[in-house]
Amino acid sequence: MFENYEKFKKDVLALTKIDLNSYKEKQMKRRIDTLIGKTAAKTYDQYVSLLKTDKNVLEQFVNFLTINVSEFYRNADQWQILDKKVIPELVKKFGKNLKIWSAACSTGDEPYSLVMALSKHIPMNQIHIIATDIDKQVLEKARVGLYNEKSIANVPEEFKKKYFNKIGASYQISDEIKKRVEFKEHNLLRDPYPTGCDMIVCRNVVIYFTDDAKQEIYVKFNQALKNEGILFIGSTEQIMNYKELNYERSSSFFFIKGAK
């Protein structure tokens, strides 16, 4: 067993700006210890030295910490609600120049899915998604836009044909879709949030955080939304105290900002 995890957390914060105190400790420590066990490091201090001197080890560590499980149109039934109900309501309330933030966007599957979903309701040249993630590596992958067959399995056939080019065993998303997404590095627990958002999409991410961190994030999302803006969360998540946080429930995974 590795000793002095408290000091390790402080070292990681100083080095990466990632606060491990905001993650569920038992789960995260187990994952980190497994990763360190694959290196020559025998202690946390030795591993921190590796992080400081080996760029590849540092990138691997950050990539390992940020859980990147993503796919296009994940939980397809929720995207049906988005298409049939949520987007039309947003356009009716706020017009077609919507400000949409895909938070913790991972490899880009989600913001690119949003562009395709919006394209049924809004001219392509009016669509602009801000997509953020803490992990530089996944943002680089997102900008390349190359995916395997499993990742795009839920994409509607019309969009697969229209917006993906097959390259070997992979599929690359078209430049037409890429142009509509602006990728930026962002830490949900440290950095300022965008303001005046009509919709925020953050799915299957906050489950890895402590209850206090979750609360803080949902409060900040609420502040980042316009009145009656929408928060779209993942199927693994619940906001039990949504009324206290100034949300109204639209449907299972869609919450409307209240008027407070």
Side-chain angles (χ1 to χ4, degrees):
M1 293 291 288
F2 297 100
E3 294 179 357
N4 206 344
Y5 188 63
E6 290 303 312
K7 179 178 181 295
F8 177 71
K9 287 190 289 187
K10 289 175 184 173
D11 290 340
V12 167
L13 179 61
L15 192 61
T16 69
K17 304 296 186 287
I18 296 172
D19 187 356
L20 293 176
N21 286 313
S22 296
Y23 292 81
K24 293 176 182 174
E25 183 155 313
K26 190 175 177 182
Q27 181 183 11
M28 185 55 77
K29 185 178 184 302
R30 186 173 64 245
R31 295 182 76 241
I32 290 169
D33 289 356
T34 301
L35 179 65
I36 296 173
K38 295 175 182 176
T39 71
K42 301 299 180 190
T43 65
Y44 285 132
D45 284 347
Q46 286 180 15
Y47 187 64
V48 169
S49 294
L50 265 181
L51 294 175
K52 289 177 178 175
T53 55
D54 191 323
K55 186 183 175 188
N56 290 332
V57 173
L58 179 62
E59 285 184 356
Q60 181 192 42
F61 177 62
V62 173
N63 198 33
F64 190 78
L65 281 188
T66 54
I67 296 88
N68 299 309
V69 179
S70 190
E71 60 191 48
F72 284 80
Y73 283 81
R74 189 175 182 185
N75 310 116
D77 54 333
Q78 293 166 33
W79 289 86
Q80 286 286 327
I81 296 169
L82 185 76
D83 176 41
K84 303 295 182 193
K85 181 185 176 190
V86 176
I87 294 174
E89 286 177 359
L90 285 172
V91 171
K92 190 176 177 183
K93 281 184 207 167
F94 303 120
K96 292 186 175 181
N97 289 314
L98 296 172
K99 183 173 183 178
I100 296 175
W101 176 23
S102 174
C105 68
S106 188
T107 50
D109 315 45
E110 192 165 83
Y112 290 144
S113 295
L114 283 167
V115 174
M116 288 185 281
L118 287 161
S119 72
K120 293 173 71 174
H121 305 268
I122 298 170
M124 188 67 81
N125 63 3
Q126 287 183 251
I127 297 170
H128 179 237
I129 310 288
I130 301 163
T132 65
D133 202 277
I134 195 173
D135 188 340
K136 287 179 185 174
Q137 278 187 305
V138 299
L139 290 174
E140 285 170 15
K141 290 177 189 173
R143 290 185 183 105
V144 172
L146 202 60
Y147 302 95
N148 61 30
E149 194 164 359
K150 184 173 179 280
S151 289
I152 70 162
N154 289 327
V155 175
E157 282 303 317
E158 59 178 306
F159 292 151
K160 272 187 199 173
K161 290 173 184 171
K162 193 172 182 182
Y163 296 124
F164 288 88
N165 299 312
K166 198 167 190 301
I167 302 174
S170 300
Y171 296 81
Q172 186 156 37
I173 195 146
S174 72
D175 287 344
E176 189 179 1
I177 299 291
K178 281 189 194 176
K179 285 177 189 171
R180 310 327 312 166
V181 182
E182 179 185 2
F183 289 103
K184 296 179 179 179
E185 195 178 341
H186 183 271
N187 185 330
L188 282 171
L189 295 168
R190 290 179 64 91
D191 295 332
Y193 283 29
T195 56
C197 296
D198 300 302
M199 181 166 69
I200 297 171
V201 182
C202 186
R203 307 177 69 225
N204 308 306
V205 174
V206 301
I207 50 167
Y208 299 103
F209 294 128
T210 62
D211 288 342
D212 286 346
K214 284 180 196 174
Q215 185 96 344
E216 180 187 342
I217 288 167
Y218 287 136
V219 166
K220 287 182 177 177
F221 281 157
N222 195 273
Q223 293 166 348
L225 285 165
K226 289 180 186 171
N227 286 347
E228 297 190 41
I230 295 281
L231 174 64
F232 180 14
I233 66 171
S235 58
T236 58
E237 296 157 341
Q238 298 180 60
I239 310 178
M240 303 302 292
N241 61 335
Y242 64 89
K243 289 183 179 175
E244 292 171 33
L245 300 178
N246 193 33
Y247 293 102
E248 299 164 16
R249 186 179 232 131
S250 172
S251 60
S252 296
F253 306 103
F254 294 91
F255 293 83
I256 303 169
K257 176 175 177 172
K260 283 183 192 172

